């Protein structure tokens, strides 16, 4: 089958997720049509609406979604976001990413995602608490420790997870319900290491990828020049950990703009400056740059850790790095992928690069079910093993696809990317279980 080509740039996450799937799936010879259909479509989509008594005495109705994309390998797993742009299509795309992410790091979960259309910046804490409680009540038994397990996402946090747990626990008294949600406060069954897990996973994955020696002139994080877009949970902690591992952080940014310094920035002092002033911009002895300039900054490793669709057809050609580590979900469009591939820029895809968060969420779930509390060393050692395995399997698959590509029949299509390889690994893993389960009576 010929690989689909992307002529026109499309910034819709849902469309990009679908194109990525189709491109990867075209490398798998024996995937049956019916299975492909099942893997593309969500298993279940819930759209709920509920009224809330607002602080000013008015009543407002809110709409929320929970999509279970696939649960053949285990209960759904994925965050809940509160944002004005939440839509069924966006939640569906993000739920599909979770199916492939949990499969590629081989944890026994499927993919889920949820969201409520609201603007948390304009809502009081009481209103947010009420929205959370009503949303969880409306979802009923669609979520549960063995069916679908939420986690924090954009504008939801540990407190939101505590409210979700409490509401669900009131609906199911007398049971151990801690495992219904992850990303909880430490005192309420949260796991040590969860706050750093995404960035730490990105570091472990990058270290293993570089060890495999597939990226010319880049064998180690030590001494590498690193630029980071986004200075929140994923970005600021990645800057800290990459710096600790010996990298030089040459540029960072947030929504207000960026800063650079060829002699290197101290990520902890940059964070202290951001905490004090609200932005990384204005950090002493740095030069101000725009976010577009950051993405084009000459470096060895570029870490997009902010939003989706940041590197696109219109700016991918300007990127001057050897490796992109996708700490954010969906920061590159399909068109960007193709341009970067032509320019010999490697991309460690999001489903591997930022999977550390869901891996430690899985550890939290296991600890909750077993009434255990692991120490930090155990969490980090196990995270390292999962991330290293996922990278090794992705690189092994990439090597196998390259061999396939060099056969005469395949030379006309573009060579495989690491994203293709990670998705092929994940799709094969899910498809195998679909077929195994189907032979049951
Ligand atoms: P966050 O809200 O903590 O941080 C986001 C950062 O991006 C902020 O510093 C913000 O100022 C910056 N930003 C916003 N718009 C920007 C722009 N236009 N240009 C540059 N910077 C901009 O969010 P986070 O948790 O760090 O998540 C960031 C990305 O990582 C998201 O795509 C998220 O889905 C992904 N991710 C996060 C986790 C996690 O555990 N936090 C796990 C997996 C994936």
């Amino acid at each position: 089958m010929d690989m689909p080509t992307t002529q026109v740039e499309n910034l819709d996450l849902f469309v990009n997720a679908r194109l990525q799937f189709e491109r990867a799936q075209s490398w798998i010879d024996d995937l049956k049509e019916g299975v492909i259909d099942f893997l593309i479509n969500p298993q279940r989509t819930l759209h709920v609406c509920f009224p809330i008594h607002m602080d000013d005495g008015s009543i407002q109705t809110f709409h929320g979604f929970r999509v279970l994309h696939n649960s053949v390998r285990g209960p759904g797993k994925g965050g809940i976001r509160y944002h004005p742009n939440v839509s069924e299509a966006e939640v569906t795309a993000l739920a599909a990413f979770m199916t492939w992410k949990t499969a590629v790091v081989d944890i026994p979960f499927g993919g889920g995602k949820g969201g409520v259309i609201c603007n948390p910046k304009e809502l009081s804490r009481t209103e947010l608490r009420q929205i959370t409680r009503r949303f969880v009540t409306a979802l009923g038994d669609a979520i549960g420790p063995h069916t679908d397990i939420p986690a924090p996402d954009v504008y939801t946090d540990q407190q939101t997870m505590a409210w979700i747990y409490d509401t669900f626990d009131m609906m199911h008294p007398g049971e151990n319900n801690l495992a219904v949600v992850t990303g909880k406060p430490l005192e309420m069954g949260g796991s040590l290491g969860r706050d750093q897990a995404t960035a730490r996973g990105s570091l472990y994955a990058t270290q293993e990828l570089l060890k495999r020696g597939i990226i010319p002139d880049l064998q180690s994080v030590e001494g590498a020049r690193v630029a980071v877009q986004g200075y929140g949970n994923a970005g600021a902690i990645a800057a800290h950990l990459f710096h600790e591992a010996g990298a030089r952080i040459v540029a960072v940014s947030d929504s207000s703009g960026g800063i650079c310094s060829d002699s290197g920035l101290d990520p902890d002092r940059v964070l202290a400056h951001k905490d004090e002033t609200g932005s990384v911009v204005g950090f002493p002895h740095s030069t101000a740059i725009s976010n577009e300039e950051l993405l084009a900054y000459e470096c060895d490793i570029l870490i997009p850790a902010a939003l989706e669709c940041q590197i696109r057809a219109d700016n991918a050609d300007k990127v001057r790095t050897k490796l992109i580590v996708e700490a954010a979900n969906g920061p590159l469009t399909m068109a960007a992928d193709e341009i970067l591939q032509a320019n010999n820029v490697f991309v460690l895809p999001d489903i591997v690069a930022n999977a550390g968060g869901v891996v430690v969420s899985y550890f939290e779930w296991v600890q909750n079910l077993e009434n255990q509390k692991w120490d930090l060393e155990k969490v980090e050692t196990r995270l390292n093993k999962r991330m290293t395995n996922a990278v090794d399997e992705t690189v092994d698959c990439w090597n196998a696809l390259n061999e396939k590509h060099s056969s005469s029949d395949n030379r006309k299509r573009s060579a495989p990317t690491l994203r293709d390889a990670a998705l092929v690994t994940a799709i094969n893993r899910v498809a195998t279980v679909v077929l195994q389960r189907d032979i049951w009576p």
Side-chain angles (χ1 to χ4, degrees):
M1 191 196 297
D2 278 338
M3 196 172 51
T5 52
T6 319
Q7 305 295 346
V8 183
E9 176 81 318
N10 192 319
L11 299 184
D12 188 313
L13 198 60
F14 185 68
V15 172
N16 272 286
R18 178 80 179 245
L19 288 170
Q20 286 175 2
F21 177 90
E22 283 170 359
R23 186 181 146 127
Q25 167 250 305
S26 71
W27 286 102
I28 307 173
D29 294 328
D30 48 3
L31 207 53
K32 293 191 166 56
E33 264 318 305
V35 174
I36 295 172
D37 257 6
F38 177 62
L39 295 181
I40 286 177
N41 290 300
Q43 263 175 241
R44 182 182 68 198
T45 302
L46 280 178
H47 175 177
V48 296
C49 76
F50 46 86
I52 294 294
H53 221 123
M54 307 301 282
D55 290 351
D56 64 4
S58 66
I59 306 276
Q60 204 173 311
T61 293
F62 290 86
H63 292 256
F65 305 94
R66 183 74 194 176
V67 173
L68 178 64
H69 176 259
N70 195 289
S71 67
V72 298
R73 299 182 72 255
K77 186 84 196 82
I80 286 181
R81 63 173 55 179
Y82 290 172
H83 197 274
N85 296 344
V86 163
S87 67
E88 188 180 318
E90 182 192 63
V91 174
T92 306
L94 292 165
F97 280 141
M98 290 307 296
T99 299
W100 311 129
K101 199 180 291 187
T102 52
V104 80
V105 289
D106 203 10
I107 53 179
F109 287 141
K113 204 81 181 186
V116 176
I117 306 171
C118 65
N119 187 352
K121 289 185 180 164
E122 293 171 359
L123 294 163
S124 71
R125 188 181 157 92
T126 310
E127 290 164 341
L128 283 170
R129 194 181 71 229
Q130 286 207 64
I131 288 172
T132 306
R133 287 195 175 285
R134 292 304 298 259
F135 183 45
V136 172
T137 309
L139 292 178
D141 281 337
I143 62 166
H146 301 286
T147 49
D148 189 2
I149 305 146
D153 197 73
V154 176
Y155 292 126
T156 56
D157 55 16
Q158 289 190 354
Q159 179 59 71
T160 325
M161 301 306 113
W163 291 330
I164 292 177
Y165 164 71
D166 186 66
T167 311
F168 188 86
D169 193 52
M170 287 174 73
M171 292 158 64
H172 301 82
E175 295 169 33
N176 172 11
N177 292 309
L178 282 174
V180 68
V181 67
T182 60
K184 298 180 292 296
L186 264 183
E187 303 76 12
M188 272 183 65
S191 178
L192 285 169
R194 177 61 187 88
D195 49 345
Q196 286 202 341
T198 301
R200 191 169 283 283
S202 301
L203 173 67
Y204 291 155
T206 307
Q207 286 173 322
E208 184 60 16
L209 181 68
L210 298 187
K211 251 194 234 160
R212 295 291 301 254
I214 62 168
I215 302 177
D217 305 322
L218 187 61
Q219 267 75 50
S220 168
V221 165
E222 213 176 323
R225 290 162 49 86
V226 175
V228 184
Q229 187 203 35
Y231 220 63
N233 179 283
I237 299 177
H240 167 85
L241 294 174
F242 275 72
H243 179 255
E244 200 176 67
R248 195 189 319 167
I249 309 300
V250 289
V252 301
S253 71
D254 59 29
S255 54
S256 306
I259 52 170
C260 66
S261 164
D262 267 336
S263 57
L265 298 159
D266 178 332
D268 296 345
R269 292 169 90 172
V270 174
L271 186 61
H273 176 81
K274 184 177 163 72
D275 286 345
E276 204 180 303
T277 65
S279 171
V280 299
V281 178
F283 181 69
H285 311 299
S286 69
T287 307
I289 52 172
S290 67
N291 258 298
E292 277 301 303
E293 286 168 329
L294 179 130
L295 295 173
Y297 204 81
E298 192 177 352
C299 58
D300 298 310
I301 302 174
L302 172 63
I303 308 181
L307 305 170
E308 47 265 16
C309 299
Q310 292 299 293
I311 304 179
R312 306 166 301 265
D314 60 314
N315 62 0
D317 235 349
K318 298 186 190 134
V319 169
R320 289 181 300 159
T321 192
K322 293 172 185 150
L323 170 66
I324 294 177
V325 175
E326 291 187 321
N329 280 314
L332 273 59
T333 62
M334 268 292 280
D337 260 357
E338 286 166 10
I339 294 166
L340 291 162
Q341 182 179 22
N343 292 348
N344 297 318
V345 177
F346 281 78
V347 177
L348 183 61
D350 45 11
I351 59 169
V352 178
N354 68 35
V358 76
V359 169
V360 176
S361 277
Y362 163 58
F363 296 161
E364 179 176 334
W365 182 78
V366 172
Q367 291 171 72
N368 293 158
L369 290 178
E370 296 179 348
N371 287 310
Q372 295 281 333
K373 195 92 192 158
W374 298 358
D375 62 30
L376 189 58
E377 195 189 343
K378 183 166 175 174
V379 171
E380 289 179 358
T381 307
R382 290 186 175 209
L383 172 64
N384 196 345
K385 194 155 187 270
R386 294 266 170 190
M387 298 307 297
T388 303
N389 283 349
V391 169
D392 283 342
E393 281 168 346
T394 299
V395 174
D396 290 347
C397 179
W398 183 70
N399 285 333
L401 294 182
N402 269 311
E403 257 178 51
K404 192 169 176 177
H405 180 250
S406 57
S407 76
S408 57
D409 287 354
N410 277 298
R411 268 193 218 129
K412 274 186 259 145
R413 66 194 298 175
S414 13
T417 60
L418 289 173
R419 191 188 311 283
D420 293 332
L423 277 167
V424 165
T425 306
I427 293 168
N428 274 332
R429 215 161 249 164
V430 179
T432 302
V433 182
V434 171
L435 295 177
Q436 284 170 342
R437 289 182 65 147
D438 195 40
I439 59 170
W440 294 351

